[in-house]
Amino acid sequence: LAIYRNDTTGPGHTLSLDLRGKGGNTSAIGARIRAQIGDRVLVREVRSGGSFQSAHELPVHLGLGTVPKADLIEIRWPSGRVTRHENVNAGHRYRISEAEGLISSRPLGDD
């Protein structure tokens, strides 16, 4: 049994990326996200699976801390294609397609 405690000192900024690949991999499994946030870099990967009777949520969530936007988000798609998005505001869920780019944006919590 593990108990986790969150000792953050206040609200932070987050954003979510819901990626849509092309071809047979429409869930973009294996896409690699590199986010430049000030002098920090976050790297995430779209993964499926998990453990017995559970799975990962496909949208990728990025915690930005006190910074209100990501300076640059670079997506390396499983096909090898790379797309870049600059000045991405926190507090939103972005749907991004490999073929079409940014499809939609809505505030987090409007699910």
Side-chain angles (χ1 to χ4, degrees):
L1 174 67
I3 298 174
Y4 295 95
R5 189 171 101 185
N6 183 351
D7 289 329
T8 57
T9 58
H13 297 285
T14 62
L15 63 86
S16 177
L17 304 173
D18 186 8
L19 304 183
R20 297 288 178 242
K22 62 182 183 179
N25 187 4
T26 57
S27 295
I29 304 299
R32 196 166 177 85
I33 296 107
R34 182 182 179 276
Q36 181 75 42
I37 302 138
D39 61 351
R40 295 184 309 137
V41 174
L42 299 177
V43 177
R44 301 287 186 271
E45 187 171 305
V46 178
R47 297 174 31 193
S48 69
S51 62
F52 180 68
Q53 294 185 341
S54 70
H56 295 285
E57 183 181 27
L58 290 176
V60 173
H61 304 281
L62 300 174
L64 308 184
T66 60
V67 181
K69 68 178 180 178
D71 300 313
L72 174 67
I73 292 180
E74 182 179 273
I75 302 166
R76 182 170 302 278
W77 299 91
S79 68
R81 181 172 184 222
V82 176
T83 57
R84 298 166 59 100
H85 306 273
E86 296 182 2
N87 298 314
V88 181
N89 289 320
H92 287 80
R93 176 178 231 166
Y94 297 93
R95 179 167 284 175
I96 302 173
S97 164
E98 180 178 6
E100 302 170 54
L102 179 65
I103 297 173
S104 66
S105 166
R106 67 176 189 250
L108 284 173
D110 284 0
D111 294 331

